[in-house]
Structures are given as structure tokens and as C-alpha cells.
Amino acid sequence: MESIQDASRTKLSSERAPLLPQRQDTLSSGRQFSPLTLLIPLAVATRLTSTLPTTTLLGVIQSVICRLWLSSNGNLPPDGEIPKELCAVPEVEKTYAAVISAILIGDGLGAMIACSVISHISSRVGRKPVILGTIAVSFLGYFLMICSQYLSGWLEAGGLIAFLSLQMFSGILTMTFIANIYTVDISSAEDRTPVLSAINGWATLGQAFSFAIGGLVTTQTDDPLIVYYISIFVLGAIFVYVLAFLPESFPEEKRDELRRQRLAQQNVDASARRNLSSRLISTIAIAFEPLKQLIPVRKADGRKNWRVVYCAIHITIAMLASSYAPASLLLLYTTKYSYNAAQTGIVLTILSLSAVFTLTYTTPSLIRVLRPIYARKVALPEDQFERDPSDDTAVAPSTDLLDVHIAFVSCIINAVSYILASATTTHVSHLIAVTVVGFSAAHAPIIRSLVVSSVDPLKQGEVLAAFEMMSSIGAFLSPLVMGSIFTATISSQPMLMFYIHAAIVIAAASLLFLIRDSDRYQKPPQT
């Protein structure tokens, strides 16, 4: 806690300064590791537990659907053992695809609600309590999943639905948001993009391990519960780890300053809350509080800054196309090429390892090499020097154009690679194609870095939450739009959806060129 006390004696951070003090080695608490290093186990563990049961879950869902279908038609074998041939019917395949679409819709909706709640609570009590609460919800979900496997019929389906409902609020999207918001808190502006990329890379490494282990364990043991026991153990361990070692990234004085800003804004808008109905509307609006960050603000020259809006529109369109793409590819391989859990796990592992290499090595290296070429000096108002001569935000190198170009190229790679992955017909060619898909992973951390660099550091968590909510809207709509297309064409024209995906992703990528260096956050002139 001494780090928080030290931070309270410092001035509020500029856009380029991290919210958490960097000099951890000077603390009398004796911590030897930076908050960034301490975040890595959390990122790896939460992604591992979120994705470890993925391949197994697909098989469990398919098995439950097949069993219920056979039972309703009176064809369920007396011993309960269901051969694959009995499930290879169009009715089961279409229901399976529809259920997967419904799950993805729920994940998008749940993540949208979770991001809003996390932003609201963490800005008032800190990031650490929210991290612990989210881990606890995930733990409970896996416990319910294990219980459901000891039931049968609709009771089993009910337990599965309860598990999926909790996972809506503690799945990959939510865990990724938590890791990103913590990373933004502890990193400076110049390091934010490569640091976000690296953290996402470490998280994806956990995902790679989970896909490899999950499919292999389930296939070798023929027991779907083992991966859930492993997940519960890891979640319990990481809960204790966070409680004991992870420092708070949004300390009390930052929360107090943000609270003062909110109170000042509330005083300005007090006339709008005088009657009961207005206060009720205000209370309900808390759920959508982060979305206020999407309202364009005026720059010093009086023009409106649309940068966050452009980014929000971009991610909504991109997620509309991309959110369902991995699931549709797995469905294609499962239904048309009879992939089992182990083969599906290999595909997902290769995809994840390719993304890990892109995020942890390729993207930071590209930024380091290309930044001198793209960099240009941006002179800020003279009072920046007067306010704090040691603050290097007075002359800041702008790298937005570099970030935009890398994000754009990533989108193009994503669009083309999914077409290749769906067009190939052999197992080896599938692995080569999904390797190329992994090269598009740089888009996610880069676009988030562009978003948070647009606002006051105290509000970066809120704008990131608003961005994730818009991303979740795209993820919510993706199964409705892309899933409906794929479900209708999976038997006749399975590649049609991937061509539509490519067209939408390229259209979304074109919006990135509306982002301007001049729209980055700058401290207001001193009055």
C-alpha cells in the first residue's frame, strides 16, 4: 500500500505517464517485480481457464443436442452411448450451429454489460476488487458445469445453460478487458501499444496451451470433466495470487480526482435531475455511463473531436464480421471434415501460437524499427513547460500513423486468410491457413491504444469500457447476421460467409484512415 501513498504525493499523470508509479524498486515493501510483470500470470491464467474447455464444450453441447433429439424421436440407445453416425444428421447439425450462434450472442451481450459494470465499480473501488470478483464468478460457473454432467436429460441442459449464463459475464471478452484496463493504467503513452500487444500475446499463450491440453486430455481420457477440474484449480490459485501480490493500478487519489470531476459535471447538470423521473433515468443511465465517452468533445480550436467515434464505429463493424469467423471455421471443419476434439485443439493451438508470435515479437519489433521513420515532433502549448518542466509531453513523438497502418494491414490479412482457411481441403493446408490468420492479431491491441490515447488519463478506463461495449455490440450482432448466413449456407455454399466477412472487414479497415494525430489527447492550456 505504500506505493499508493507515494503516488498521492505526486502530481496527476499526464497522458504519457502511467497511473501507477514506475519506480517499484524504491518501495520499502520490497517488491522486486513491476506491476506489468505481476500482471502476466493473471493474463495467462484467466485466458487459459476461459479457453481450456472450449473444444470439450463444443463436444458436450453437440452431445446434449444429439441426445435430446434422439430422445424426442425415441431413438436414444438404451445404454446411453451415442455413435457419431446417429448425430450426423442435418437436424442436429443445424440445431448445433444455431445453439453456437446463440451462445456467441449471449457472450457479446454479457461482455457489454460486464464491461459497463466493471468500469463503474472499478473507477470507484479500484481494479483489484473487480478482478477478484470476476474470477469468483468464473469459478462458480465451472462448478455448475461439473454438476450438470451428473444429471441427465433436460436437467443436464439446465445446468449447462446456468454455466453458460455465468460465462457470459466472465468469458474471454471480459477477462481481456480487465487485463487491458490494468495495462493502460500502468503503462506510459509511448510504451502503451507494444505493452498492450505483449500482454495480449502472453494471454494468447495461455490460450494456446489450453487448446492443446484441452482437446488432448478430453480425447485421451474420454472424460469432459477433467478440463473443468483443472480450470477450477487454476482459478483458485490465481485468486490467491491476485489477493496476495497484484498491486492496485488505479489508486485512491486517482479515484478521488475522478469523483471530483464527476461531481462537478453533476453540479452543472443538476437542473436536469430535480424531479423523480429524471433521477430515475439518471440511475438507469449508470449502466451506460461509459458510453458518454463517445460524445465528441471540442478541441482547443473549437472543432469537435470525432476520433473515439470513428474507432467505435470501426470496431463495431469489424466485430460484426470477425466475431463469428473462428466459430464458423471450426463448425466447417467439424461438420465437413469430421474433426474431433484433438484435431480442433491442434487448429486452435496453431492459430494461437501464430498470434502469440505476432503480438509478443513481431508487433513490438515493427514499432521499434518503424517508429523513427514515422515519428515527427508535435509542439504543444508553451504553458506545458511552465506547468512542469520535467514533463516530456511538451514535445511528444506521434506514432498514430504507424499504428493505423499496422492495424489496416492486420485487417487485410484477416480478410484474406479466412477465405484461404475455408477454401483449403486438407489438414495440412488448414494449419497453414490458420497460421496466416494469427498474423492479423496485432489489430486488437493497436486499436485500443489509439482509443485510450484520445482522452484524459483518468478517463482511459471509461473510454476503454465504452469501446469494449461497442465491440460487444458487434460481437452480439455477429452470430445473428453472420451466423444466420452460415447456418443457411453451410450445406450448399459454406464459403459465402467468408467472402462476406472479408468485404465487411475491409470496409471497417478503411475507417482507420479518418484517425488524425491532431486528435490525440493534450493537456488543456493553463489558465
Side-chain angles (χ1 to χ4, degrees):
M1 296 298 296
E2 189 171 332
S3 59
I4 298 178
Q5 295 170 359
D6 289 343
S8 66
R9 291 189 289 269
T10 62
K11 294 183 179 180
L12 293 178
S13 300
S14 68
E15 196 275 325
R16 294 187 60 203
L19 293 178
L20 195 68
Q22 292 283 321
R23 299 193 52 176
Q24 298 292 324
D25 57 329
T26 64
L27 301 180
S28 59
S29 58
R31 287 197 185 99
Q32 297 181 356
F33 302 101
S34 69
L36 178 60
T37 303
L38 294 172
L39 177 63
I40 292 175
L42 173 65
V44 174
T46 52
R47 182 66 67 86
L48 186 149
T49 55
S50 295
T51 54
L52 180 62
T54 298
T55 54
T56 302
L57 181 61
L58 293 175
V60 170
I61 293 173
Q62 188 178 41
S63 176
V64 170
I65 292 172
C66 183
R67 187 177 294 109
L68 291 175
W69 184 82
L70 291 174
S71 178
S72 64
N73 288 275
N75 298 324
L76 184 66
D79 59 358
E81 295 294 331
I82 304 176
K84 290 184 177 180
E85 294 76 16
L86 293 179
C87 297
V89 293
E91 291 84 357
V92 173
E93 289 183 357
K94 289 185 177 181
T95 303
Y96 178 52
V99 169
I100 296 299
S101 297
I103 291 173
L104 292 175
I105 291 171
D107 286 344
L109 180 62
M112 182 171 63
I113 297 173
C115 288
S116 177
V117 172
I118 288 172
S119 172
H120 180 80
I121 297 177
S122 67
S123 65
R124 288 159 174 81
V125 303
R127 315 296 193 204
K128 187 171 179 176
V130 173
I131 292 174
L132 293 171
T134 307
I135 294 173
V137 170
S138 185
F139 184 97
L140 178 59
Y142 286 134
F143 177 77
L144 292 176
M145 177 62 188
I146 292 174
C147 292
S148 72
Q149 294 303 293
Y150 291 99
L151 305 173
S152 60
W154 286 103
L155 288 177
E156 178 187 15
L160 182 61
I161 291 172
F163 156 70
L164 293 172
S165 298
L166 287 178
Q167 286 301 105
M168 285 169 53
F169 304 102
S170 60
I172 295 177
L173 295 176
T174 305
M175 293 298 188
T176 301
F177 169 66
I178 290 175
N180 285 338
I181 197 173
Y182 193 99
T183 303
V184 168
D185 286 344
I186 64 177
S187 58
S188 64
E190 289 304 308
D191 296 329
R192 185 186 300 121
T193 299
V195 168
L196 273 172
S197 181
I199 286 296
N200 279 267
W202 281 105
T204 307
L205 181 62
Q207 177 175 296
F209 287 143
S210 71
F211 287 146
I213 296 172
L216 181 62
V217 168
T218 302
T219 302
Q220 294 297 321
T221 63
D222 197 29
D223 184 355
L225 293 182
I226 292 181
V227 292
Y228 292 98
Y229 286 123
I230 295 173
S231 296
I232 282 182
F233 173 79
V234 174
L235 285 171
I238 203 64
F239 184 93
V240 175
Y241 169 83
V242 171
L243 189 64
F245 300 108
L246 193 69
E248 175 58 60
S249 66
F250 199 59
E252 186 176 0
E253 73 276 1
K254 304 299 178 184
R255 303 197 297 268
D256 290 341
E257 175 61 22
L258 184 58
R259 187 179 299 111
R260 284 191 289 270
Q261 291 184 9
R262 287 171 174 158
L263 288 174
Q265 183 63 38
Q266 289 174 2
N267 291 334
V268 172
D269 301 334
S271 58
R273 296 188 176 91
R274 288 177 180 174
N275 55 59
L276 180 62
S277 61
S278 297
R279 290 196 297 269
L280 180 60
I281 293 174
S282 177
T283 302
I284 297 174
I286 290 176
F288 304 97
E289 184 179 49
L291 295 180
K292 294 179 181 178
Q293 300 301 318
L294 298 180
I295 299 175
V297 297
R298 293 193 180 277
K299 299 185 290 186
D301 58 6
R303 293 180 299 174
K304 288 187 176 181
N305 188 342
W306 293 89
R307 175 176 170 134
V308 175
V309 177
Y310 293 146
C311 290
I313 296 173
H314 161 79
I315 198 62
T316 303
I317 297 175
M319 288 298 291
L320 170 66
S322 298
S323 181
Y324 192 75
S328 60
L329 192 62
L330 290 180
L331 285 171
L332 178 66
Y333 290 169
T334 301
T335 57
K336 297 302 180 184
Y337 301 99
S338 301
Y339 271 37
N340 57 31
Q343 290 173 312
T344 303
I346 291 173
V347 169
L348 293 174
T349 300
I350 295 298
L351 172 61
S352 298
L353 289 176
S354 175
V356 169
F357 178 77
T358 301
L359 292 168
T360 59
Y361 178 76
T362 305
T363 302
S365 298
L366 277 175
I367 292 173
R368 183 174 60 252
V369 172
L370 297 178
R371 177 171 285 169
I373 300 175
Y374 279 79
R376 62 183 177 85
K377 301 298 181 180
V378 180
L380 300 183
E382 293 182 1
D383 73 312
Q384 300 282 0
F385 294 98
E386 298 172 0
R387 176 181 295 183
D388 188 357
S390 64
D391 187 354
D392 58 357
T393 57
V395 179
S398 175
T399 58
D400 285 354
L401 188 59
L402 172 60
D403 289 353
V404 166
H405 286 175
I406 295 177
F408 180 81
V409 172
S410 296
C411 288
I412 300 300
I413 293 174
N414 182 273
V416 174
S417 59
Y418 269 108
I419 293 177
L420 295 176
S422 62
T424 53
T425 57
T426 66
H427 185 58
V428 173
S429 60
H430 290 164
L431 296 181
I432 295 174
V434 297
T435 299
V436 180
V437 173
F439 295 157
S440 66
H443 169 264
I446 287 178
I447 189 64
R448 284 157 177 81
S449 179
L450 288 170
V451 168
V452 298
S453 66
S454 308
V455 299
D456 187 319
L458 291 174
K459 297 182 179 180
Q460 287 176 344
E462 293 184 21
V463 76
L464 187 58
F467 182 80
E468 297 298 350
M469 291 173 71
M470 297 303 296
S471 174
S472 297
I473 290 174
F476 171 81
L477 294 175
S478 183
L480 293 174
V481 179
M482 308 302 289
S484 298
I485 295 172
F486 189 65
T487 301
T489 60
I490 186 173
S491 301
S492 56
Q493 295 177 299
M495 285 191 60
L496 177 61
M497 196 222 68
F498 296 98
Y499 285 118
I500 296 174
H501 160 267
I504 296 175
V505 168
I506 293 175
S510 64
L511 293 174
L512 293 171
F513 292 104
L514 296 175
I515 297 174
R516 298 288 183 265
D517 291 340
S518 58
D519 293 334
R520 296 180 71 178
Y521 172 77
Q522 296 180 7
K523 289 186 296 184
Q526 192 176 34
T527 57

